[in-house]
Structures are given as structure tokens and as C-alpha cells.
Amino acid sequence: MSMGENIKKLREDLGMSQEELASRMGYSHKSSINKIEMGKQDIPQSKVIELAKIFNVNPCVILDYTPEECDYQRWDENSPKVKDTSELYRQMQLHFGSEVTELVQMFSQLNRKGKKKALDSIQDLNKITEYIEKESD
């Protein structure tokens, strides 16, 4: 879906009219919302954040970013900011083991296309029962 389609769906899911959304966004007329939803008008980042607050979603949802495209920490005011990635990797290793840490380090070096391919490969592997860890009773 496009950003405009996402906004329309979120607005309709809340039972909100274009007039109501326009008013809450500080626009004088519903035509501004209509243009945004139709993809005929772009909106500034500050308005994306404002929309996210109104809809109670992460701005990445509005922008239609995939998880690998979205920097959730950038948008999440409550998210701790990691200044030292070595500490992050140390914590990951403590909680998840060295294989996960190595996987994340390699994944972070890939470009968007590589990340998509890696995720697709992992999803394929998860469909093969011999590669799935069985739950212990």
C-alpha cells in the first residue's frame, strides 16, 4: 500500500472522517487529507509524526516501511539510544548466544536487497521441519 492508502485505512479503521482528521491535523479543509490519501500531496515528517500519534502507530506504519527499512529507534521516543554497539552485541550474546550475535552482525552489513534475500531465505528454512527446533516437554 502507498502512504496515502495507509492513512486512509487507518482513518477509516478509527471511523474518522476526512473533515475530522483535517481538523486534528490543523488543515482548514478536508481536501488536504483527500490529496494526501490520493497520493497527490506529500506531507512533511512532522505531519507523519502527528498522524502516527493520532492513529497510535509507529510512523513506519504510515510510511509503509518494511521492518528492515524502518529505524524504529529513530521514531520511538521511549526507546533507549544505543551509543556503543559492542555493548549491544555483548547483551545479545548473553541473552541469545553467539550464533544470533554473528547473524545480526552479518545481517547489518547487507544492503536493503541483501537483507530482503536473507529474510526470504530464513522464512523458507522455517517451512522445513527438519530445520525447526522442537519444543521440549
Side-chain angles (χ1 to χ4, degrees):
M1 273 198 278
S2 70
M3 181 177 64
E5 291 169 328
N6 284 340
I7 293 168
K8 181 177 181 177
K9 181 182 180 326
L10 290 164
R11 178 182 59 76
E12 289 175 343
D13 287 350
L14 288 177
M16 189 182 295
S17 68
Q18 287 183 338
E19 292 91 350
E20 185 179 353
L21 182 57
S23 174
R24 290 185 68 179
M25 295 290 298
Y27 292 117
S28 59
H29 196 269
K30 74 173 188 171
S31 64
S32 296
I33 300 300
N34 187 50
K35 288 176 187 174
I36 292 167
E37 290 180 355
M38 300 283 292
K40 295 179 179 180
Q41 180 177 319
D42 287 330
I43 58 175
Q45 180 176 327
S46 61
K47 292 289 187 184
V48 171
I49 293 169
E50 194 173 333
L51 281 167
K53 288 178 181 177
I54 290 169
F55 295 138
N56 196 29
V57 297
N58 187 289
C60 294
V61 173
I62 292 169
L63 296 169
D64 198 34
Y65 285 175
T66 61
E68 60 269 12
E69 292 174 315
C70 188
D71 179 1
Y72 283 97
Q73 285 190 344
R74 172 181 174 205
W75 300 103
D76 185 358
E77 297 165 355
N78 300 319
S79 176
K81 304 303 179 224
V82 178
K83 294 180 181 159
D84 181 10
T85 56
S86 62
E87 174 60 18
L88 175 64
Y89 288 131
R90 189 182 77 72
Q91 288 294 325
M92 278 193 325
Q93 187 158 353
L94 283 172
H95 292 284
F96 304 109
S98 60
E99 290 172 330
V100 172
T101 304
E102 183 179 0
L103 184 64
V104 170
Q105 287 172 327
M106 288 188 294
F107 186 84
S108 68
Q109 294 174 9
L110 299 172
N111 63 22
R112 185 180 299 166
K113 187 176 179 180
K115 288 176 181 175
K116 170 97 173 80
K117 179 72 173 169
L119 289 172
D120 289 346
S121 297
I122 291 171
Q123 288 170 346
D124 288 343
L125 287 172
N126 272 284
K127 295 175 186 171
I128 303 170
T129 56
E130 74 177 281
Y131 297 128
I132 304 297
E133 192 166 312
K134 294 172 180 48
E135 291 184 34
S136 56
D137 295 323

